[in-house]
Amino acid sequence: MTRRSAIFLTLMLLAGPVLPGSAAAQNSAAAIVQQIHDVAYGKCMEAGRFGSGSELQGNCSCSADVAINLLSEEFKQAIADGTQASFAGAKLAGDELSRNVTLLKSCPKIGAYLQQQCAGDPGNPHCQVLQRALEQAQ
């Protein structure tokens, strides 16, 4: 996986900051979590790296679900407290390997696309982590 692909995956999982301006999102933890899911799904669909058509939709939906499940307890608490905009801690639980294993176990079709992105770049540290994750996810 190229560095850009690894960064994309991380950004997709983080889903970026929650946009201010939506009173419902600011006042409702469930709305904020849904917004994070929607942003992750949208970024995945826009990038189009996990297939096409209905397969892309399914893979992006799955990866967005994983992103929500990987939110750190501290970030969940910040969402509940309404302090997510200023939260400076880890937004996702675990390390790169454990997040990749979770993604690959939950969304096995994504593995082939990630492997394609790593083709020709075996020295990339993110690709090495991905390879270990693929082995552990089996």
Side-chain angles (χ1 to χ4, degrees):
M1 175 179 346
T2 64
R3 181 166 171 76
R4 191 175 85 178
S5 296
I7 290 170
F8 163 75
L9 182 58
T10 300
L11 289 175
M12 183 191 68
L13 291 175
L14 287 176
V18 174
L19 302 174
S22 170
Q26 292 174 348
N27 294 322
S28 169
I32 292 168
V33 169
Q34 183 62 48
Q35 188 174 19
I36 292 169
H37 183 279
D38 293 349
V39 169
Y41 177 82
K43 285 181 180 185
C44 179
M45 290 295 293
E46 184 178 312
R49 292 191 178 133
F50 296 151
S52 61
S54 63
E55 182 181 28
L56 177 62
Q57 291 172 336
N59 286 337
C60 287
S61 180
C62 185
S63 66
D65 292 345
V66 171
I68 296 304
N69 291 332
L70 288 173
L71 293 177
S72 70
E73 293 303 316
E74 296 82 10
F75 189 53
K76 288 178 191 175
Q77 186 61 51
I79 292 170
D81 295 342
T83 59
Q84 72 281 354
S86 62
F87 182 75
K91 292 182 180 180
L92 297 176
D95 59 9
E96 182 181 7
L97 177 62
S98 66
R99 290 190 297 262
N100 280 342
V101 169
T102 300
L103 178 65
L104 293 166
K105 283 185 176 181
S106 301
C107 313
K109 293 179 183 178
I110 289 175
Y113 293 105
L114 293 173
Q115 282 181 307
Q116 287 173 357
Q117 293 171 19
C118 277
D121 197 9
N124 182 311
H126 297 290
C127 291
Q128 293 169 355
V129 171
L130 174 63
Q131 187 56 46
R132 290 195 331 252
L134 286 163
E135 293 165 5
Q136 288 184 23
Q138 292 179 349

